[in-house]
Amino acid sequence: MSELRQDPITKEWVILATERAKRPEELRIERQARPAERYVASCPFCPGNENRTPDSVLELPREGEETWQVRVVPNKFPALSREGALARRSTGSWHRVSGVGIHEVIVETPDHSLTPALLPAGDVARILEAYRARFDAVSADPRIAQVTLFKNHGAGSGTSLEHPHSQLIATPIISSHLRAREYEALRHYDDFGACLLCQVLEQEIHEKTRLVLESEHFTTLEPFASRVSFHTHIYPRRHMASFGEVTKHELEDLAGHLKTVLAKLYWGLGNPDFNYTIHSAPAENAGVRYYHWYLSIIPRLTQMAGFELGSGMSINTVLPEAAAEFLRHVTLGRSENLARRTPVHAANGFRKG
């Protein structure tokens, strides 16, 4: 019989359709193999093409070299305008806020052919280091209320450029989506005097059925009420409301989790399209006891249909316990495929952005 489960974080209900449940391996995507190009002359994110993007706001060099390993640039076609003053207007029931904000692209590697799943954990740590640096810098802007870090991988995720990259969008308002999560977390804290996610994490570690990976600082698991198949969360074990509180040592540990999970999805499910997002408290609530940041990965293995759109409930055909067991046993590819570190040089060499 099918089962409904409630997400303790959002209070949303999910249908686990066990009567039509699929084995995890049935969701593997068979893609036609094609040669991967490490440098593409027309790509604005490849080294040597820095003049095709706005000037860098941050460059992290490869260790022992002068060339960049991670590069952060303003989005050439931003959703919000970096310049301008914050203004609010209300006319009856209509509320408006000026469209000021920050929209940046984090170019994750000079190599056009790679993804974080195929990068060494040290390189993924550099990406996360850039995330934290820009999260902190942008959060300090008095016009900014919420900072969202996210990655779209593959056409089915909404990405428009193939070169490995992620994005930061900082808005002058806090979304109702985040406010609802904060509200549920605060209500739980008022009722029980404890962080909701700290309690969820403690219970998951005790039950162990949905755990994928554990380390000193982070735990990766399939949530009890997974919205989609292989919906994966990475939680810091230390209580932190804001991503900006994470230490360099913790970032290195997080990089190991993120790289490993993405590699397991890559090798186990055939490199599916996915989105990941860092769910963090806004700067105004950094340090609070009731909220706990985490990273959420959503593979695009199925499509949202009429029921989901009409009801607000998701239907998941893979039990999270089965997904966790599958991921725990995925064998990663050969180490040389996961750790290519040879610098990528354009025909005319690197140029500073």
Side-chain angles (χ1 to χ4, degrees), residues 173-198:
I173 54 90
I174 295 176
S175 68
S176 58
H177 179 76
L178 176 54
R179 284 296 194 207
R181 290 167 183 265
E182 288 189 303
Y183 170 75
E184 293 298 342
L186 180 57
R187 186 167 68 167
H188 182 93
Y189 188 86
D190 286 343
D191 288 344
F192 301 100
C195 167
L196 169 61
L197 274 180
C198 285

mmCIF file of all heavy atoms in Angstrom, residues 173-198:
data_model
loop_
_atom_site.group_PDB
_atom_site.id
_atom_site.type_symbol
_atom_site.label_atom_id
_atom_site.label_comp_id
_atom_site.label_asym_id
_atom_site.label_seq_id
_atom_site.Cartn_x
_atom_site.Cartn_y
_atom_site.Cartn_z
ATOM 1 N N ILE A 173 14.433 41.192 -0.891
ATOM 2 C CA ILE A 173 13.345 40.696 -0.039
ATOM 3 C C ILE A 173 13.649 39.251 0.349
ATOM 4 O O ILE A 173 14.464 38.580 -0.289
ATOM 5 C CB ILE A 173 11.965 40.792 -0.733
ATOM 6 C CG1 ILE A 173 11.998 40.084 -2.109
ATOM 7 C CG2 ILE A 173 11.560 42.252 -0.910
ATOM 8 C CD1 ILE A 173 11.620 38.623 -2.068
ATOM 9 N N ILE A 174 12.988 38.767 1.399
ATOM 10 C CA ILE A 174 13.090 37.367 1.796
ATOM 11 C C ILE A 174 11.857 36.656 1.273
ATOM 12 O O ILE A 174 10.722 37.085 1.511
ATOM 13 C CB ILE A 174 13.202 37.231 3.324
ATOM 14 C CG1 ILE A 174 14.518 37.863 3.802
ATOM 15 C CG2 ILE A 174 13.136 35.762 3.748
ATOM 16 C CD1 ILE A 174 14.687 37.883 5.301
ATOM 17 N N SER A 175 12.067 35.580 0.536
ATOM 18 C CA SER A 175 10.963 34.888 -0.124
ATOM 19 C C SER A 175 10.037 34.223 0.896
ATOM 20 O O SER A 175 10.452 33.863 2.006
ATOM 21 C CB SER A 175 11.504 33.824 -1.081
ATOM 22 O OG SER A 175 12.127 32.771 -0.348
ATOM 23 N N SER A 176 8.776 34.038 0.507
ATOM 24 C CA SER A 176 7.823 33.336 1.363
ATOM 25 C C SER A 176 8.261 31.886 1.570
ATOM 26 O O SER A 176 7.973 31.275 2.602
ATOM 27 C CB SER A 176 6.420 33.390 0.752
ATOM 28 O OG SER A 176 6.413 32.819 -0.551
ATOM 29 N N HIS A 177 8.970 31.324 0.593
ATOM 30 C CA HIS A 177 9.506 29.964 0.694
ATOM 31 C C HIS A 177 10.438 29.844 1.898
ATOM 32 O O HIS A 177 10.311 28.920 2.717
ATOM 33 C CB HIS A 177 10.248 29.645 -0.610
ATOM 34 C CG HIS A 177 10.882 28.292 -0.668
ATOM 35 N ND1 HIS A 177 10.166 27.143 -0.875
ATOM 36 C CD2 HIS A 177 12.179 27.917 -0.554
ATOM 37 C CE1 HIS A 177 10.997 26.105 -0.895
ATOM 38 N NE2 HIS A 177 12.214 26.550 -0.692
ATOM 39 N N LEU A 178 11.376 30.782 2.038
ATOM 40 C CA LEU A 178 12.306 30.762 3.167
ATOM 41 C C LEU A 178 11.604 31.155 4.461
ATOM 42 O O LEU A 178 11.848 30.570 5.516
ATOM 43 C CB LEU A 178 13.484 31.694 2.891
ATOM 44 C CG LEU A 178 14.510 31.853 4.021
ATOM 45 C CD1 LEU A 178 15.047 30.497 4.480
ATOM 46 C CD2 LEU A 178 15.661 32.761 3.579
ATOM 47 N N ARG A 179 10.712 32.130 4.405
ATOM 48 C CA ARG A 179 9.984 32.549 5.605
ATOM 49 C C ARG A 179 9.193 31.382 6.189
ATOM 50 O O ARG A 179 9.123 31.223 7.412
ATOM 51 C CB ARG A 179 9.053 33.708 5.278
ATOM 52 C CG ARG A 179 9.722 35.055 5.116
ATOM 53 C CD ARG A 179 10.352 35.512 6.408
ATOM 54 N NE ARG A 179 10.702 36.941 6.342
ATOM 55 C CZ ARG A 179 11.673 37.484 7.052
ATOM 56 N NH1 ARG A 179 12.407 36.732 7.868
ATOM 57 N NH2 ARG A 179 11.930 38.772 6.953
ATOM 58 N N ALA A 180 8.586 30.558 5.322
ATOM 59 C CA ALA A 180 7.805 29.420 5.811
ATOM 60 C C ALA A 180 8.705 28.424 6.532
ATOM 61 O O ALA A 180 8.333 27.867 7.580
ATOM 62 C CB ALA A 180 7.083 28.743 4.652
ATOM 63 N N ARG A 181 9.899 28.174 5.994
ATOM 64 C CA ARG A 181 10.844 27.271 6.648
ATOM 65 C C ARG A 181 11.292 27.843 7.992
ATOM 66 O O ARG A 181 11.405 27.109 8.985
ATOM 67 C CB ARG A 181 12.057 27.033 5.741
ATOM 68 C CG ARG A 181 11.737 26.204 4.507
ATOM 69 C CD ARG A 181 12.860 26.264 3.488
ATOM 70 N NE ARG A 181 12.499 25.508 2.291
ATOM 71 C CZ ARG A 181 12.830 24.250 2.074
ATOM 72 N NH1 ARG A 181 13.549 23.603 2.972
ATOM 73 N NH2 ARG A 181 12.456 23.632 0.965
ATOM 74 N N GLU A 182 11.567 29.137 8.008
ATOM 75 C CA GLU A 182 11.964 29.773 9.271
ATOM 76 C C GLU A 182 10.833 29.697 10.297
ATOM 77 O O GLU A 182 11.085 29.451 11.488
ATOM 78 C CB GLU A 182 12.346 31.234 9.029
ATOM 79 C CG GLU A 182 13.658 31.430 8.307
ATOM 80 C CD GLU A 182 14.069 32.886 8.303
ATOM 81 O OE1 GLU A 182 13.286 33.731 7.811
ATOM 82 O OE2 GLU A 182 15.157 33.199 8.812
ATOM 83 N N TYR A 183 9.622 29.892 9.840
ATOM 84 C CA TYR A 183 8.477 29.868 10.745
ATOM 85 C C TYR A 183 8.331 28.498 11.387
ATOM 86 O O TYR A 183 8.132 28.393 12.614
ATOM 87 C CB TYR A 183 7.203 30.232 9.982
ATOM 88 C CG TYR A 183 5.934 30.004 10.774
ATOM 89 C CD1 TYR A 183 5.560 30.880 11.797
ATOM 90 C CD2 TYR A 183 5.123 28.898 10.511
ATOM 91 C CE1 TYR A 183 4.398 30.654 12.530
ATOM 92 C CE2 TYR A 183 3.965 28.668 11.237
ATOM 93 C CZ TYR A 183 3.609 29.555 12.249
ATOM 94 O OH TYR A 183 2.472 29.317 12.981
ATOM 95 N N GLU A 184 8.408 27.428 10.579
ATOM 96 C CA GLU A 184 8.269 26.080 11.130
ATOM 97 C C GLU A 184 9.412 25.769 12.092
ATOM 98 O O GLU A 184 9.203 25.139 13.142
ATOM 99 C CB GLU A 184 8.230 25.044 10.005
ATOM 100 C CG GLU A 184 7.004 25.127 9.113
ATOM 101 C CD GLU A 184 5.699 24.881 9.856
ATOM 102 O OE1 GLU A 184 5.730 24.310 10.966
ATOM 103 O OE2 GLU A 184 4.635 25.251 9.309
ATOM 104 N N ALA A 185 10.624 26.209 11.743
ATOM 105 C CA ALA A 185 11.770 25.970 12.621
ATOM 106 C C ALA A 185 11.621 26.718 13.938
ATOM 107 O O ALA A 185 11.919 26.182 15.017
ATOM 108 C CB ALA A 185 13.062 26.386 11.917
ATOM 109 N N LEU A 186 11.157 27.960 13.878
ATOM 110 C CA LEU A 186 10.974 28.759 15.085
ATOM 111 C C LEU A 186 9.862 28.183 15.950
ATOM 112 O O LEU A 186 9.987 28.123 17.184
ATOM 113 C CB LEU A 186 10.664 30.210 14.711
ATOM 114 C CG LEU A 186 10.433 31.179 15.873
ATOM 115 C CD1 LEU A 186 11.633 31.207 16.814
ATOM 116 C CD2 LEU A 186 10.127 32.577 15.346
ATOM 117 N N ARG A 187 8.766 27.757 15.318
ATOM 118 C CA ARG A 187 7.661 27.178 16.076
ATOM 119 C C ARG A 187 8.115 25.919 16.816
ATOM 120 O O ARG A 187 7.758 25.697 17.974
ATOM 121 C CB ARG A 187 6.489 26.859 15.147
ATOM 122 C CG ARG A 187 5.247 26.394 15.890
ATOM 123 C CD ARG A 187 4.037 26.385 15.000
ATOM 124 N NE ARG A 187 4.115 25.363 13.953
ATOM 125 C CZ ARG A 187 3.080 25.009 13.213
ATOM 126 N NH1 ARG A 187 1.910 25.619 13.366
ATOM 127 N NH2 ARG A 187 3.206 24.082 12.285
ATOM 128 N N HIS A 188 8.928 25.092 16.138
ATOM 129 C CA HIS A 188 9.448 23.882 16.777
ATOM 130 C C HIS A 188 10.337 24.252 17.960
ATOM 131 O O HIS A 188 10.250 23.623 19.027
ATOM 132 C CB HIS A 188 10.231 23.055 15.761
ATOM 133 C CG HIS A 188 10.758 21.768 16.306
ATOM 134 N ND1 HIS A 188 10.069 20.589 16.210
ATOM 135 C CD2 HIS A 188 11.912 21.477 16.977
ATOM 136 C CE1 HIS A 188 10.765 19.621 16.780
ATOM 137 N NE2 HIS A 188 11.891 20.135 17.252
ATOM 138 N N TYR A 189 11.179 25.270 17.771
ATOM 139 C CA TYR A 189 12.080 25.680 18.851
ATOM 140 C C TYR A 189 11.288 26.198 20.049
ATOM 141 O O TYR A 189 11.605 25.893 21.203
ATOM 142 C CB TYR A 189 13.052 26.753 18.354
ATOM 143 C CG TYR A 189 14.132 27.079 19.360
ATOM 144 C CD1 TYR A 189 15.305 26.328 19.412
ATOM 145 C CD2 TYR A 189 13.965 28.120 20.277
ATOM 146 C CE1 TYR A 189 16.294 26.614 20.342
ATOM 147 C CE2 TYR A 189 14.951 28.402 21.217
ATOM 148 C CZ TYR A 189 16.106 27.644 21.241
ATOM 149 O OH TYR A 189 17.080 27.916 22.182
ATOM 150 N N ASP A 190 10.229 26.965 19.780
ATOM 151 C CA ASP A 190 9.393 27.476 20.869
ATOM 152 C C ASP A 190 8.704 26.337 21.618
ATOM 153 O O ASP A 190 8.529 26.401 22.842
ATOM 154 C CB ASP A 190 8.344 28.449 20.321
ATOM 155 C CG ASP A 190 8.942 29.788 19.931
ATOM 156 O OD1 ASP A 190 10.080 30.083 20.367
ATOM 157 O OD2 ASP A 190 8.287 30.540 19.191
ATOM 158 N N ASP A 191 8.293 25.287 20.899
ATOM 159 C CA ASP A 191 7.583 24.172 21.522
ATOM 160 C C ASP A 191 8.516 23.232 22.284
ATOM 161 O O ASP A 191 8.151 22.723 23.349
ATOM 162 C CB ASP A 191 6.824 23.363 20.470
ATOM 163 C CG ASP A 191 5.600 24.097 19.928
ATOM 164 O OD1 ASP A 191 5.167 25.067 20.569
ATOM 165 O OD2 ASP A 191 5.101 23.689 18.854
ATOM 166 N N PHE A 192 9.724 22.980 21.727
ATOM 167 C CA PHE A 192 10.583 21.932 22.280
ATOM 168 C C PHE A 192 11.935 22.439 22.791
ATOM 169 O O PHE A 192 12.695 21.664 23.380
ATOM 170 C CB PHE A 192 10.818 20.843 21.233
ATOM 171 C CG PHE A 192 9.556 20.193 20.760
ATOM 172 C CD1 PHE A 192 8.970 20.552 19.553
ATOM 173 C CD2 PHE A 192 8.926 19.217 21.525
ATOM 174 C CE1 PHE A 192 7.806 19.949 19.106
ATOM 175 C CE2 PHE A 192 7.760 18.613 21.096
ATOM 176 C CZ PHE A 192 7.187 18.980 19.886
ATOM 177 N N GLY A 193 12.253 23.707 22.539
ATOM 178 C CA GLY A 193 13.519 24.256 23.021
ATOM 179 C C GLY A 193 14.730 23.666 22.334
ATOM 180 O O GLY A 193 15.827 23.640 22.912
ATOM 181 N N ALA A 194 14.556 23.190 21.110
ATOM 182 C CA ALA A 194 15.658 22.579 20.374
ATOM 183 C C ALA A 194 15.497 22.848 18.892
ATOM 184 O O ALA A 194 14.385 23.047 18.392
ATOM 185 C CB ALA A 194 15.698 21.068 20.631
ATOM 186 N N CYS A 195 16.622 22.836 18.165
ATOM 187 C CA CYS A 195 16.610 23.023 16.710
ATOM 188 C C CYS A 195 15.950 21.824 16.042
ATOM 189 O O CYS A 195 16.287 20.664 16.325
ATOM 190 C CB CYS A 195 18.040 23.200 16.207
ATOM 191 S SG CYS A 195 18.237 23.064 14.420
ATOM 192 N N LEU A 196 15.008 22.080 15.152
ATOM 193 C CA LEU A 196 14.297 21.026 14.446
ATOM 194 C C LEU A 196 15.250 20.126 13.672
ATOM 195 O O LEU A 196 15.182 18.889 13.762
ATOM 196 C CB LEU A 196 13.276 21.653 13.487
ATOM 197 C CG LEU A 196 12.609 20.736 12.459
ATOM 198 C CD1 LEU A 196 11.830 19.630 13.149
ATOM 199 C CD2 LEU A 196 11.702 21.542 11.535
ATOM 200 N N LEU A 197 16.158 20.723 12.902
ATOM 201 C CA LEU A 197 17.043 19.910 12.075
ATOM 202 C C LEU A 197 18.069 19.154 12.907
ATOM 203 O O LEU A 197 18.493 18.065 12.522
ATOM 204 C CB LEU A 197 17.728 20.772 11.019
ATOM 205 C CG LEU A 197 16.929 20.966 9.739
ATOM 206 C CD1 LEU A 197 17.670 21.823 8.745
ATOM 207 C CD2 LEU A 197 16.591 19.634 9.107
ATOM 208 N N CYS A 198 18.489 19.712 14.030
ATOM 209 C CA CYS A 198 19.382 18.963 14.920
ATOM 210 C C CYS A 198 18.687 17.695 15.400
ATOM 211 O O CYS A 198 19.299 16.621 15.478
ATOM 212 C CB CYS A 198 19.803 19.824 16.112
ATOM 213 S SG CYS A 198 21.027 21.100 15.721
#
